[in-house]
Amino acid sequence: MATATATAADSRTVAGRRRPGRTKKPDRSQTRIGYAFSSGYALLLVAFGLIPAVYAVYLAFTKNGSFAGLDNFVRVFGDYRFWPAVQHVALFILVWLVSMTLLVVLLALLVHAVRSRWASSAVRFLYYIPGALAGASSVMLWLFLLDPTVSPVAFVLRLLGQETFVQTVSLENLPIVFTLIAFWAGAGGWIIIMYGALNNIPVEIMEAARIDGAGPAQTAWHIQIPLMRKWISYMVVMSLAAGTQLFVEPRVLSQASKGVVPQEYSLNQLAYLFAFRQNDFNGSAAISLLLLVVAAGLSALFVFRGGLFERD
Amino acid sequence: MKRKTLRHVAVTGIAAVGLAVLTACSGPASGGSGASGSTYGFDAAAQEKGSKITVWVDAAREPIVKAFQADNPNVPISIETYDGNAGGSGSFQTKIALLDQSGEGWPDVVFSTQTNDASWAAKETNGVQAFAAPLNKGLLDDAFLKGFTAGANDPMTVDGKVYGLRNDLAPVVLWCNQKLLDQFGYKVPTTWEEYQDLGVRLAAEHPGYILGSIGDSFVGPYVYYWGAQAPIFQLSGNTFSSNFDDSKSKNMTSMLDSMVKNGTLVQDSVFSGSFVQKYADKIVAMPGPAWYAGALFQNPQSLNSPKGEIGAAVPLHWNGQDKVTGNVGGGVWYASSHSKNLAAVSTLLKYVISSDKASSLASGLPAYDAAASKWLDTQAASGYFAGDFKGAVQTAASSVWKGWGFPSFSPETAYAAVVVPALAAGKPIADVVPEWKKQILNEAQVQGYTVK
């Protein structure tokens, strides 16, 4: 710990000494190119992110064009499917975020520790491949894995007491099933990113830690993980955003199991049913707004606790 | 550009775009422009002769539309398969709702396996014209429409307007394996009580042989409860009710529980590979819709029963009660009121209902009389089914219980969500009846019905 803070303090004073020299001639062309590159993204963000959000706010507080106050929210809260959906999503996020953070960090540390370059690249490539399958296709693959009558890992399912597909996708198992699917598809990308974050840690610090007598576990716990804090909180925020909007996996499983997995398992599915099954776009917007508020609140928590925007 | 001016421009730009989008989104564009209502009885879109028509079908109906395409090369047609609304998934409704919002892109003809879609498709929603086009006000001639079996188009008739054409009648008959029945020395059961007793005998004398499967969410409600006249799915006006305490409901629940317990009713879906593997030659008798003929027994990928073994018997009824039976879907063809080529649409509809190909490709009893007798005669002539196939099916077709409700949702979703997992967990249906009833009533409320 002492070594880390000492080095951090050194780099700050070094930067401080260098700064007066830097501000003499600001590089305008770099700033302009920066704006040019991010303008495309900003435009799309406004068109497909901000404007729909504003429209949803408008819909959530109106009914047939006239102001309706909190009526839509009251109706949504009173729907018999709302609270079960909230519980499902909350449980799923809990299981997913915890297991995802632990496993991704662990796997990234392990990959980073591999000495030979070809082995390291091969392992990283293998981790990344499942992520190449987009949303619904990866769920289709999992349909085979989850059905004990056709699954290549049927013995594992039978060991866990699941004899039929209906038993595998029973309500109690679903948070774990969705976590498995989401992890299998998403973890690879995050491991690569964590690997990059680990590469950012100056070699001097690692060497100093080794000289001080820290083993791999201690190095990981006291040096690597604290320095990855920003990246871990970034991963948690992105995974939280994706997790609250759980839709594709329960929808495909619902159709494949012919209704055994409920059509209204997650909040996003409920919003979809409100909009397109009951023609209640205002109620649907209300659900989306609730999701936005909760996700934004939780994300803010992780952003500020995780120091995502701190500069060091 | 100065930073302040840049910010002002950006903000005004975003505000302007936002305002434009909001005003554009304040209401969907009004419906059809073009031809007046008189020719077809509804506001048809401007017709473009020879324009391409889009047809949505499920996998089982694709062959007949492909046959139409082959027989009519001058009609440009695009075929898309979807799940056909199987299991009450509501795909048809949600897809059309999406298209209503965007104001374009509707298909011209849609096939749905459910019979209750007219409850939403015949209504105007959110200012957009009702998707289903009335067919008896000028689009199809009366002579053609009269050719349907009496009552076949009733579920799709609202205020005297027929909104869809019934593809097939799916009355429930009692499918029997005559060979096994003779081999074991059993009589064909005629009542539910005899069916239950047969189960007891079968479990004792020949374990491993079955009398049906209730793992499918269409079998439980439609084959067993509808056939038992159980009032668990009743609609009267806008009031929905579900009575599981009626003696008929209770007797059916206890019959199913006892047969699951003694192993004569299984939980594998009739469409699953495991059902075929385990029970293909072990089904002694099985109540089921007429379309099991093509979908299961004559299907090489399914049970693929040898010729002369399977026969259809008159459906089961309670001893001393009315001889009525259940009905499992039957499928409906809808025409779009937004179609730009109604001439091609009516040609297609006539073809898939009444052409020779329609009866030869039919997997169940066609709803069109002429096609139906052709189909029945073909089956009888081939000698594939044992016994009086034609008589049993015709008796069943004319004795479907009229007391079952057709609200805008399906009983399959509640059965799949509550009963199927309970059975998989080893619980009897009687244990989850309160939860099942609550689920059905909740679904009714959400669809806007008053619940009694």
Side-chain angles (χ1 to χ4, degrees), chain A residues 29 46 61 63 67 87 97 112 119 135 138 142 162 205 212 217 221 231 234 240 252 265 273 276 286-287 293 302:
Chain A
S29 68
V46 166
F61 288 105
K63 181 91 186 164
F67 185 69
Q87 285 169 348
L97 284 184
H112 190 76
S138 70
W142 274 90
Q162 315 296 331
I205 298 183
D212 276 354
W221 184 253
W231 301 102
Y234 175 58
L240 181 71
V252 176
Y265 182 80
L273 289 175
F276 301 112
I287 297 179
V293 165
F302 285 113

Side-chain angles (χ1 to χ4, degrees), chain B residues 261-315:
Chain B
K261 194 151 172 233
N262 67 25
T264 46
L265 279 181
V266 295
Q267 295 174 41
D268 302 71
S269 158
V270 294
F271 296 123
S272 67
S274 60
F275 182 76
V276 176
Q277 247 180 342
K278 290 194 262 184
Y279 306 113
D281 47 359
K282 295 209 160 58
I283 306 171
V284 174
M286 180 162 71
W291 50 259
Y292 272 7
L296 298 182
F297 299 113
Q298 291 170 323
N299 185 351
Q301 267 104 34
S302 181
L303 298 177
N304 200 19
S305 309
K307 183 172 155 173
E309 269 186 24
I310 304 287
V314 286

Side-chain angles (χ1 to χ4, degrees), chain A residues 122-169:
Chain A
V123 170
R124 274 179 286 142
F125 181 65
L126 278 171
Y127 281 156
Y128 193 69
I129 289 185
L133 278 178
S137 345
S138 70
V139 184
M140 298 289 287
L141 202 68
W142 274 90
L143 286 178
F144 284 102
L145 285 167
L146 291 171
D147 189 347
T149 52
V150 296
S151 172
V153 294
F155 60 94
V156 174
L157 290 169
R158 296 233 165 79
L159 230 75
L160 297 167
Q162 315 296 331
E163 297 291 327
T164 61
F165 183 56
V166 170
Q167 284 176 330
T168 317
V169 297

Side-chain angles (χ1 to χ4, degrees), chain A residues 57-133:
Chain A
V57 171
Y58 164 74
L59 277 179
F61 288 105
T62 60
K63 181 91 186 164
N64 288 333
S66 55
F67 185 69
L70 293 173
D71 280 351
N72 296 318
F73 292 93
V74 167
R75 193 171 59 251
V76 162
F77 284 132
D79 195 290
Y80 74 99
R81 300 163 293 184
F82 180 72
W83 293 110
V86 171
Q87 285 169 348
H88 295 150
V89 173
L91 188 58
F92 165 70
I93 289 185
L94 188 68
V95 172
W96 189 33
L97 284 184
V98 169
S99 56
M100 173 96 143
T101 319
L102 288 174
L103 285 171
V104 165
V105 170
L106 185 66
L107 286 170
L109 287 167
L110 286 175
V111 165
H112 190 76
V114 169
R115 283 295 134 222
S116 91
R117 183 181 290 166
W118 71 264
S120 173
S121 323
V123 170
R124 274 179 286 142
F125 181 65
L126 278 171
Y127 281 156
Y128 193 69
I129 289 185
L133 278 178

Side-chain angles (χ1 to χ4, degrees), chain A residues 224-246:
Chain A
Q224 288 175 307
I225 293 182
L227 286 176
M228 285 203 301
R229 209 168 61 124
K230 268 210 265 185
W231 301 102
I232 296 178
S233 65
Y234 175 58
M235 176 177 76
V236 169
V237 167
M238 298 301 280
S239 306
L240 181 71
T244 50
Q245 296 177 64
L246 184 68

Side-chain angles (χ1 to χ4, degrees), chain B residues 156-242:
Chain B
M156 291 80 67
T157 309
V158 179
D159 292 335
K161 293 193 192 167
V162 176
Y163 286 97
L165 297 179
R166 192 75 170 275
N167 181 59
D168 58 287
L169 299 174
V172 171
V173 295
L174 180 66
W175 294 100
C176 309
N177 189 325
Q178 202 56 51
K179 173 169 149 255
L180 286 176
L181 284 169
D182 293 337
Q183 192 180 326
F184 297 153
Y186 296 141
K187 231 172 25 94
V188 173
T190 53
T191 64
W192 290 114
E193 289 89 347
E194 284 176 20
Y195 178 71
Q196 189 169 2
D197 290 338
L198 177 61
V200 173
R201 284 181 69 190
L202 196 63
E205 294 165 21
H206 304 277
Y209 286 83
I210 65 170
L211 291 176
S213 158
I214 53 170
D216 287 290
S217 51
F218 65 84
V219 174
Y222 292 135
V223 171
Y224 288 101
Y225 282 88
W226 187 332
Q229 298 177 68
I232 64 169
F233 209 70
Q234 311 279 277
L235 183 65
S236 129
N238 207 44
T239 312
F240 183 86
S241 61
S242 179

Side-chain angles (χ1 to χ4, degrees), chain B residues 367-383:
Chain B
Y368 202 68
D369 264 337
S373 30
K374 227 181 276 176
W375 186 75
L376 287 168
D377 291 336
T378 321
Q379 296 293 338
S382 75

